[in-house]
Amino acid sequence: MELAISTPAILFSTVSLMMIAFTNRYLAIASLIRELHDKFRQNPDSNYVDQIKHLHRRVHIIRNIQFIIVSSLLLSAISMLFIYLHYQSAAKALFFIALLLQILALTLSIWEISISIHALKIELSDMEEQLGKRFDLFGRFKSEE
């Protein structure tokens, strides 16, 4: 199978969208960490520390995702260069690695989302306890039976 020069370029649009999404997530989480840190300074509460720990872990995962995505883009560009220079076997190998990096980034994204969901459950647990009701999958209160 011959790789066309346009094949590795397919990853470029994916990388761009992922970088925008994860940069926005990173900025939102960093802002939230600063806000919680200010609240902690005013009222030292272990709840703030736990939330900041979750957010800090998410920031590290997002940083790793961004690094992996950019590495994938770089390998795709080098793969295109090798196709242009008629080094098909090296181009295929680099494109394969770029695809694996994309898969890894998407997998880490799923992990980061699950951490986010867990953190939200912790955040809402006091509200659920106070009201004596639980949220369902759609954010509605479950009826107690």
Side-chain angles (χ1 to χ4, degrees):
M1 177 182 108
E2 279 292 301
L3 267 184
I5 201 160
S6 60
T7 304
I10 293 169
L11 295 181
F12 283 44
S13 61
T14 306
V15 168
S16 300
L17 291 173
M18 289 180 76
M19 283 302 293
I20 290 169
F22 284 103
T23 299
N24 288 340
R25 272 187 178 165
Y26 178 86
L27 293 173
I29 292 171
S31 175
L32 190 54
I33 288 172
R34 287 184 190 96
E35 182 182 316
L36 288 171
H37 184 251
D38 288 342
K39 287 181 179 179
F40 177 79
R41 282 183 171 174
Q42 295 170 1
N43 178 23
D45 184 357
S46 64
N47 189 28
Y48 295 134
V49 175
D50 292 339
Q51 290 179 47
I52 290 172
K53 283 180 186 177
H54 280 284
L55 293 170
H56 193 257
R57 184 174 353 154
R58 288 180 60 200
V59 164
H60 280 284
I61 293 170
I62 290 170
R63 181 200 61 201
N64 292 338
I65 290 170
Q66 289 175 321
F67 177 78
I68 291 167
I69 291 170
V70 170
S71 298
S72 174
L73 179 62
L74 178 62
L75 290 178
S76 295
I78 295 170
S79 175
M80 291 172 66
L81 176 65
F82 282 4
I83 291 169
Y84 179 75
L85 296 172
H86 303 289
Y87 297 125
Q88 274 291 320
S89 58
K92 287 178 185 177
L94 289 174
F95 182 62
F96 177 73
I97 294 169
L99 284 175
L100 289 178
L101 289 174
Q102 285 277 336
I103 292 167
L104 178 60
L106 292 170
T107 304
L108 287 174
S109 174
I110 292 169
W111 184 34
E112 189 269 334
I113 290 168
S114 69
I115 291 171
S116 172
I117 292 168
H118 179 71
L120 282 174
K121 284 182 181 179
I122 291 171
E123 181 71 24
L124 295 176
S125 65
D126 63 338
M127 185 176 161
E128 289 176 342
E129 287 173 12
Q130 186 176 2
L131 295 173
K133 297 179 180 180
R134 296 258 180 239
F135 288 110
D136 66 9
L137 292 174
F138 303 104
R140 300 176 302 220
F141 284 115
K142 290 182 184 178
S143 59
E144 297 295 324
E145 298 172 6

